[in-house]
Amino acid sequence: MSATLFANARILDGRVDGGIEGHVLVEDGRVKEVSDKPISATGARQVDLAGRTLMPGLIDAHVHVISTTVNFGLNALLPDAVIAFRAARIMNGMLMRGFTTIRDLGGATQGLRVAWEEGGFDGPRMVLCGKAISSTGGHSDGRGRYDGRDMAYLESRLGCLGRIADGVDAVRRACREEIKAGADYIKIMANGGVASPTDPIAFLGYSMDEMRAAVEEAQMAQTYVAAHLYTDEAISRAVDAGVRSLEHCNLIEEATARKAAKAGAIACPTLVTYEALKNEGASYGLGPESVAKIDTVRLAGLASLEKMQRAGLTMAYGSDLLAEMHRHQSDEFVIRGRVLPAMEVIRSTTVHAAKLLRMEGQIGTIQPGAFGDLVVVEGDPLKDLSLLTGQGKHLSAIMQGGRFIKDQLGA
């Protein structure tokens, strides 16, 4: 694999406040050298960035690449081949926005990852939980009130977001089966949700014993549990059960945020999806029972960021978009920037997200040994976070594993 030397870059990866001037050599798919002095690299392609911003490839820590419609039940009934090709297109769009790594929070399988590893399509590297685990009627249950079909048929399909497990023994078995199938971590639905038809937001999806069983199974497999959560009560219970990754957290209170921070948990807010659902959800077929729930969580979103920031709770970047709304993925930067310092927003998609994915030193950073996942930004995102939006139009280069996916840098 050829080598590339980025000279005179403004390096911005979140490890320090602001950017630093330097030079970066990428060789054999990884960052080989970073220096504040010129680097000699015979045979490497040399690119003078002339002060442009060089960032690690962005990380979105909450996506659903198999969500090709907003209706969970209908999505699960689509042929697997249709879902796979749509998911590949969705992931290619993410990569072209600069997201070189994603964490899927329910639905994507080891098969999709193998197809990517074999070069079947260009997309972000994937961290997976397999199918999200839910109680009957919970956020992974896409059946309506009058749909009495056995979930087993739907659960076997690629387009199904999750699976059902009721009771401690069933939760244990589900966790073990997902880990056997290649899951990197476990996802549970511990609160009601917007896009699911029969669970009001305040519903508590699992008993304490069921959540503790999931956490124990994950710990035995040397990994962790992520939980879908909105209400303060649900978040507090999840922290008590040992859940590490707190998804959404729109209705969190500051005391619970401090408790979560002390426990070493990490939050992953996903505010852009509620804006998109509010504006476009109904037009894409989101049911009226779901539309009615959106504002319950949407209107509290920005305040939740402020509470978590004051409490010292680490926050990673997430978008959680569905169907055609994936195109809004990068708008999360601007939404967060309304109440958070730009540097903290940058950290959410770099060092904080890498920590959540347990890939510190490999992604979300520009240092020797890290993957050669890099983006070149035309301008300074610390002054204007919208430079990270616009479907990648302000990114003159996107590199993944040392290979240029997009290259408008010239000679």
Side-chain angles (χ1 to χ4, degrees), residues 283-329:
S283 67
Y284 289 123
L286 189 68
E289 69 284 342
S290 293
V291 172
K293 294 188 278 186
I294 294 171
D295 278 351
T296 303
V297 292
R298 182 182 71 90
L299 297 175
L302 291 177
S304 74
L305 296 183
E306 294 175 310
K307 291 172 184 177
M308 289 186 280
Q309 176 80 350
R310 287 195 297 266
L313 179 57
T314 299
M315 289 178 277
Y317 186 101
S319 60
D320 190 33
L321 291 156
L322 311 175
E324 298 301 323
M325 291 174 280
H326 281 105
R327 71 187 188 281
H328 298 300
Q329 181 180 25

Side-chain angles (χ1 to χ4, degrees), residues 1 14 16 22 50 102 107-108 115 158 184 189-190 201 236 294 326 350 362 407:
M1 184 177 292
V16 298
I102 55 172
L158 180 58
D184 300 303
M189 301 300 196
I201 295 297
S236 181
I294 294 171
H326 281 105
T350 55
Q362 298 183 69
D407 183 0

Side-chain angles (χ1 to χ4, degrees), residues 27-308:
E27 189 173 288
D28 296 327
R30 292 185 179 264
V31 176
K32 183 177 182 180
E33 186 177 353
V34 180
S35 176
D36 59 356
K37 298 180 175 62
I39 297 172
S40 177
T42 303
R45 175 190 172 187
Q46 298 195 32
V47 180
D48 187 351
L49 293 185
R52 285 174 285 187
T53 303
L54 184 66
M55 292 180 62
L58 309 176
I59 305 166
D60 190 333
H62 192 125
V63 303
H64 295 287
V65 300
I66 58 89
S67 290
T68 70
T69 74
V70 298
N71 185 309
F72 288 173
L74 291 178
N75 202 75
L77 292 171
L78 291 170
D80 285 2
V82 171
I83 294 291
F85 278 99
R86 288 181 179 179
R89 185 172 66 245
I90 287 169
M91 284 188 275
N92 183 258
M94 292 176 173
L95 182 60
M96 298 311 294
R97 295 180 203 108
F99 291 95
T100 55
T101 301
I102 55 172
R103 184 180 64 150
D104 189 271
L105 270 286
T109 64
Q110 180 72 5
L112 277 177
R113 180 157 56 188
V114 170
W116 173 79
E117 291 172 344
E118 292 181 348
F121 61 93
D122 283 335
R125 64 183 79 251
M126 288 176 270
V127 175
L128 309 177
C129 68
K131 300 299 183 184
I133 301 169
S134 168
S135 58
T136 296
H139 192 43
S140 285
D141 193 340
R143 300 172 297 175
R145 295 202 182 278
Y146 309 114
D147 186 348
R149 287 174 296 175
D150 190 328
M151 272 291 291
Y153 170 72
L154 295 176
E155 291 170 355
S156 67
R157 304 181 68 83
L158 180 58
C160 191
L161 183 102
R163 60 186 293 176
I164 303 301
D166 294 314
V168 169
D169 289 345
V171 168
R172 288 190 183 280
R173 182 180 182 91
C175 291
R176 292 175 184 181
E177 288 179 347
E178 293 304 329
I179 291 166
K180 173 182 176 293
D184 300 303
Y185 68 100
I186 293 296
K187 165 75 178 298
I188 63 173
M189 301 300 196
N191 225 175
V194 171
S196 40
T198 61
D199 54 336
I201 295 297
F203 271 29
L204 300 173
Y206 273 125
S207 69
M208 292 298 294
D209 286 343
E210 288 169 317
M211 285 195 290
R212 289 189 180 109
V215 169
E216 184 178 30
E217 291 299 328
Q219 290 174 343
M220 289 193 296
Q222 311 301 301
T223 188
Y224 66 93
V225 169
H228 165 93
L229 299 159
Y230 285 129
T231 67
D232 189 69
E233 179 186 12
I235 298 164
S236 181
R237 293 172 79 248
V239 172
D240 288 341
V243 170
R244 175 174 180 264
S245 182
L246 310 173
E247 309 304 310
H248 314 303
C249 297
N250 298 56
L251 303 175
I252 196 169
E253 296 298 339
E254 202 162 330
T256 298
R258 289 194 296 270
K259 172 180 170 180
K262 185 176 180 180
I266 298 174
C268 189
T270 58
L271 302 191
V272 67
T273 191
Y274 311 111
E275 297 294 330
L277 286 169
K278 176 71 173 179
N279 296 330
E280 303 174 17
S283 67
Y284 289 123
L286 189 68
E289 69 284 342
S290 293
V291 172
K293 294 188 278 186
I294 294 171
D295 278 351
T296 303
V297 292
R298 182 182 71 90
L299 297 175
L302 291 177
S304 74
L305 296 183
E306 294 175 310
K307 291 172 184 177
M308 289 186 280

